[in-house]
Amino acid sequence: MSKKDKTKKEKVAENDVATKEQEQQEVVDTAENEITEENELAKLQEALEKEKERNLRLFAEFENYKRRTGRERVELFKTAGQDVITSLLPVMDDFDRALKEIEKTEDKNLLKGVELIQNKLKETLRAKGLEPIETSQGETFDAEIHEAVTQIPAPSDDLKGKIIDVIEKGYTLGEKIIRFPKVVIGQ
């Protein structure tokens, strides 16, 4: 073989080796690129999951906020006029006392007129949610509902620990007691 042929064969062999090395390098580079892309994809998916979790928590927090403010608004509407209604309770008491005194007189027209005004006031307040707490003589005293003004010796044994007299009516506004009934109990 001639030197030229050897050199050509060597050059071809070297080119083949270089090509194979280049192909191997491309395979390695491709594999590294795929690994890098997989790592980036995993990182992006992890970031996406974190954002989804954060978004879900924010949504739940917002729903809780809406429910809480809705309940507070309903409660506010129920008791919005509580101050005004509470200030009108002594007027209701005065009507009750006036009716008792007018019943002693002979003037039926005056009695009827005062009853009409009292009923109108009661119905207006009832429409706003005011309800009287029904308390009667002989009922068992309950510290959660009644306010004991005084204790007196019970006229009979069956009235011990029970209500002897109701001094002032109690009222609820919605489900909330705004004035406890003041009672005298037997001991």
Side-chain angles (χ1 to χ4, degrees):
M1 249 203 251
S2 72
K3 215 174 182 181
K4 279 185 176 183
D5 286 337
K6 261 189 184 179
T7 310
K8 277 187 179 180
K9 283 185 180 180
E10 285 176 1
K11 283 185 181 179
V12 169
E14 284 177 6
N15 282 341
D16 285 345
V17 169
T19 304
K20 285 183 181 179
E21 285 177 358
Q22 192 176 12
E23 286 176 357
Q24 286 177 351
Q25 186 61 37
E26 287 177 2
V27 169
V28 169
D29 287 345
T30 304
E32 286 177 357
N33 285 341
E34 286 179 5
I35 290 172
T36 305
E37 287 177 2
E38 287 177 8
N39 286 342
E40 287 179 23
L41 183 61
K43 286 179 185 177
L44 288 174
Q45 285 177 338
E46 187 178 316
L48 178 64
E49 288 300 318
K50 284 181 182 177
E51 288 300 315
K52 280 183 180 178
E53 180 70 25
R54 184 175 164 265
N55 187 28
L56 186 63
R57 288 181 187 273
L58 283 173
F59 182 74
E61 203 172 296
F62 182 68
E63 286 298 316
N64 289 339
Y65 168 77
K66 282 186 354 186
R67 264 188 256 121
R68 185 178 64 246
T69 55
R71 280 194 306 264
E72 288 171 356
R73 182 178 292 143
V74 167
E75 187 64 30
L76 180 65
F77 285 137
K78 283 183 180 177
T79 60
Q82 180 176 343
D83 291 339
V84 173
I85 291 174
T86 303
S87 64
L88 287 175
L89 293 180
V91 176
M92 297 272 293
D93 296 336
D94 291 344
F95 267 114
D96 289 338
R97 285 189 283 278
L99 283 174
K100 284 182 183 177
E101 291 301 315
I102 293 173
E103 285 175 355
K104 295 176 184 175
T105 66
E106 297 293 319
D107 194 357
K108 298 299 177 193
N109 290 331
L110 178 62
L111 177 65
K112 191 176 231 178
V114 173
E115 282 178 340
L116 287 172
I117 296 169
Q118 182 191 29
N119 287 337
K120 189 172 189 177
L121 178 62
K122 278 184 179 179
E123 288 305 314
T124 303
L125 294 175
R126 183 171 289 132
K128 299 295 180 190
L130 183 73
E131 292 291 329
I133 297 174
E134 297 300 325
T135 307
S136 59
Q137 184 178 3
E139 190 176 310
T140 305
F141 175 75
D142 184 0
E144 297 287 323
I145 301 171
H146 306 107
E147 181 180 337
V149 176
T150 188
Q151 291 183 351
I152 61 171
S156 63
D157 286 339
D158 61 328
L159 288 178
K160 285 187 178 181
K162 298 199 179 197
I163 297 172
I164 305 247
D165 191 22
V166 178
I167 296 175
E168 193 174 70
K169 285 183 180 180
Y171 292 94
T172 59
L173 184 61
E175 295 177 8
K176 182 180 178 186
I177 297 176
I178 59 172
R179 185 170 84 179
F180 292 91
K182 294 182 178 155
V183 296
V184 176
I185 57 174
Q187 60 171 335

